[in-house]
Amino acid sequence: MKPIFALAVGLAWLTLAGTSPAAAADPFAPAPYVGLTHPAWTRNATIYELNTRQFTAEGTIKAAQTQLPRIKALGADIVWLMPIQPIGQKNRKGTLGSPYSIRDYRAVNPELGTLADLKAFVAQAHRLGLHVILDWVGNHTAWDNPMLAEHPDWYDRDWKGDPHPTPWWDWSDIIDLDYSKPALRRYMTESMEYWVRKADVDGFRADAAGFVPLDFWETARARLDRIKPVFLLAEWEARDMHMKAFDMTYAWTWGDAVQQIAQGKADVGALRTYYSWNQKAWPSGALRMLGVTNHDKNAWEGTEFERLGSAVDAAIALSVVSEGVPLIYGSQEAGIHHRLAFFERDPIVWRDDPEGDLYRRLFTLKKAHPALANAPWGGRMIDAVNDAPDKVLSFVRDKDGDRVLGVFNLSPAARRVRFLDRLPEGRYTDFASGAPVTIDGATVLDMPAWSYRILLRTP
């Protein structure tokens, strides 16, 4: 659904790895952190969003399956399928409707294919070493979902006693569910279990996750993990979601900061604020999703080229080498410069594009360097202080001697940058050119506008 901004950071979070018996007896001692264990395959993972309706000329799951080797070659690891269920007819938007208006939670939209097609897609992905998550719409259903007639008490009601769309949003094609009803919670949890068992999917991306009570997600996660280790991504930005429910949350604040900087409405201080909160307020094992676009951004706010202009490549590189899990929205690798229609067919015109090559090289880099592994496996970002801190972001990530130095000129003017402490000093290899680079107290880096340098050092 269209992005909803919810920066919920007011809850206390204690991240102590453990306590001694003596400390445990002290009522004032911090409690040990007990959080989720991420599936092992998320260590270096990147995520690829696949809009089945637009992905191929046929617009089907079967046709999309033929593209899985290409997605694998790009360097992606997790394939996120936008909703595959049948779409409501009543109050439908456009000709084909929104994939987020669900008419049947346990069926495949016949426009996209069959359950057999989905099972074949997942099986092929697994053979290639990919994992597949389904978009899950828990907040609402289509108006003509049979649940409304069969279980009218499962729906929230407005002041007139009628079912209603989510308040304050232009979501007229859907109606809200009421999670105070235990029977609804059971049905929705069992529906998620259905897809893990039937199609062997590896988890879910939860749409508008914060509009559904957190304890529902926590219970669902525990039940899903009994089937197999799953991966859950929340379309939300709240640290409490990482405790028992979600491996990864959206980093909307990061995307907003990048866009504000690219449009000249903020400087690097906006990103410094994000990274400070990410390190201090979020648990150290939290995965945050970083991306320059997605289906919502592309459809409603503009392509990455419209919104970020000359900063696009630097933003993509930053999404991969800074702390977080990088997202690529299927079509970016083709350098598409138009907004894909949301309620109609608008097949992607595929072509080779420098943006695709950039993602391939960056994803290869991420997998090759332990410092760039995802939390909690990779190295934390450390500020490499420079003499233009409001224009240039520079940082070091280090893991067991594997070091990555990133320098990003996030401004429309060239900069000559000096480092003000010894942290970045050493001998490196330049990611772009392969040339050796030595950083010492006398080093000055010439950084063109919106440019970046990624320097690498192995043990």
Side-chain angles (χ1 to χ4, degrees):
M1 302 296 287
K2 199 172 180 180
I4 8 179
F5 298 93
L7 183 61
V9 293
L11 300 178
W13 192 285
L14 301 173
T15 58
L16 191 66
T19 56
S20 66
D26 183 349
F28 297 102
Y33 165 64
V34 180
L36 287 172
T37 299
H38 305 306
W41 44 265
T42 62
R43 182 185 185 102
N44 301 106
T46 61
I47 186 165
Y48 187 101
E49 182 185 6
L50 197 156
N51 184 340
T52 309
R53 175 184 286 170
Q54 316 298 16
F55 198 66
T56 62
E58 299 86 350
T60 64
I61 295 168
K62 184 177 291 187
Q65 181 181 331
T66 67
Q67 298 300 309
L68 286 173
R70 183 181 62 77
I71 294 172
K72 175 68 175 180
L74 184 66
D77 302 283
I78 302 170
V79 179
W80 151 24
L81 286 177
M82 287 175 63
I84 50 86
Q85 291 94 345
I87 295 169
Q89 294 280 350
K90 185 177 180 180
N91 297 329
R92 171 177 282 197
K93 291 189 174 186
T95 305
L96 298 178
S98 168
Y100 294 87
S101 176
I102 305 297
R103 188 160 47 87
D104 184 346
Y105 281 98
R106 301 185 189 181
V108 174
N109 182 351
E111 298 169 15
L112 304 182
T114 66
L115 175 60
D117 293 336
L118 178 64
K119 292 169 73 172
F121 180 96
V122 175
Q124 173 68 359
H126 288 169
R127 284 192 290 271
L128 292 170
L130 298 166
H131 293 80
V132 179
I133 63 174
L134 297 184
D135 223 321
W136 191 255
V137 185
N139 173 65
H140 51 261
T141 75
W143 285 86
D144 49 359
N145 189 308
M147 288 165 48
L148 180 60
E150 297 167 5
H151 303 282
D153 60 313
W154 289 3
Y155 286 82
D156 198 34
R157 304 286 168 160
D158 63 16
W159 64 274
K160 296 176 291 185
D162 297 327
H164 62 87
T166 302
W168 306 101
W169 291 91
D170 180 24
W171 296 352
S172 58
D173 56 340
I174 57 90
I175 45 177
D176 275 9
L177 292 165
D178 179 1
Y179 276 81
S180 70
K181 304 298 190 297
L184 169 66
R185 288 174 172 241
R186 175 180 292 276
Y187 172 80
M188 295 298 280
T189 303
E190 291 176 349
S191 295
M192 296 174 77
E193 292 174 325
Y194 169 87
W195 292 106
V196 176
R197 288 195 170 100
K198 275 283 186 182
D200 199 24
V201 301
D202 302 295
F204 299 90
R205 177 262 188 190
D207 182 68
F211 285 174
V212 174
L214 179 55
D215 66 317
F216 166 79
W217 298 119
E218 291 176 342
T219 299
R221 174 60 182 262
R223 288 178 61 104
L224 293 169
D225 274 342
R226 292 175 198 160
I227 304 171
K228 71 175 189 178
V230 296
F231 175 84
L232 295 188
L233 160 63
E235 188 203 18
W236 211 254
E237 188 164 16
R239 64 183 179 181
D240 54 315
M241 289 187 155
H242 291 277
M243 187 65 172
K244 297 179 181 178
F246 291 97
D247 299 275
M248 186 159 73
T249 53
Y250 271 47
W252 277 322
T253 315
W254 182 91
D256 289 345
V258 169
Q259 182 167 317
Q260 293 286 307
I261 292 168
Q263 295 177 359
K265 300 174 183 177
D267 61 22
V268 169
L271 274 172
R272 292 181 178 279
T273 299
Y274 168 79
Y275 288 120
S276 174
W277 281 76
N278 187 59
Q279 183 165 337
K280 288 290 291 182
W282 256 254
S284 60
L287 301 175
R288 311 296 307 284
M289 188 172 74
L290 308 182
V292 299
T293 192
N294 56 44
H295 67 276
D296 280 318
K297 288 284 188 184
N298 176 272
W300 310 117
E301 299 181 35
T303 69
E304 64 270 33
F305 305 104
E306 291 178 81
R307 294 181 296 100
L308 303 181
S310 300
V312 167
D313 284 358
I316 290 171
L318 187 61
S319 77
V320 178
V321 300
S322 69
E323 289 184 46
V325 178
L327 165 73
I328 178 170
Y329 176 44
S331 75
Q332 279 188 261
E333 67 268 43
I336 300 299
H337 280 254
H338 81 277
R339 307 180 187 192
L340 296 174
F342 203 77
F343 307 117
E344 313 292 341
R345 285 277 287 128
D346 187 11
I348 297 164
V349 178
W350 290 102
R351 62 180 185 181
D352 290 330
D353 187 85
E355 193 165 332
D357 183 58
L358 176 60
Y359 271 109
R360 275 187 289 274
R361 292 189 296 113
L362 287 168
F363 287 172
T364 299
L365 173 74
K366 179 177 175 65
K367 289 175 171 58
H369 287 271
L372 299 182
N374 299 324
W377 298 283
R380 296 231 73 149
M381 293 171 64
I382 304 173
D383 187 10
V385 182
N386 68 70
D387 59 357
D390 58 338
K391 304 299 181 184
V392 178
L393 177 70
S394 52
F395 58 88
V396 166
R397 296 184 68 184
D398 192 287
K399 186 69 175 181
D400 300 327
D402 180 74
R403 170 171 286 203
V404 176
L405 169 62
V407 187
F408 290 76
N409 178 12
L410 301 177
S411 74
R415 306 284 168 184
R416 304 195 77 223
V417 181
R418 295 178 184 272
F419 296 105
L420 302 183
D421 60 32
R422 299 188 60 186
L423 170 67
E425 292 184 4
R427 295 180 179 179
Y428 298 86
T429 300
D430 187 275
F431 164 67
S433 67
V437 178
T438 297
I439 302 293
D440 58 28
T443 299
V444 176
L445 295 181
D446 289 306
M447 303 289 298
W450 305 115
S451 69
Y452 62 93
R453 299 282 299 275
I454 300 172
L455 305 180
L456 312 168
R457 189 182 76 190
T458 54

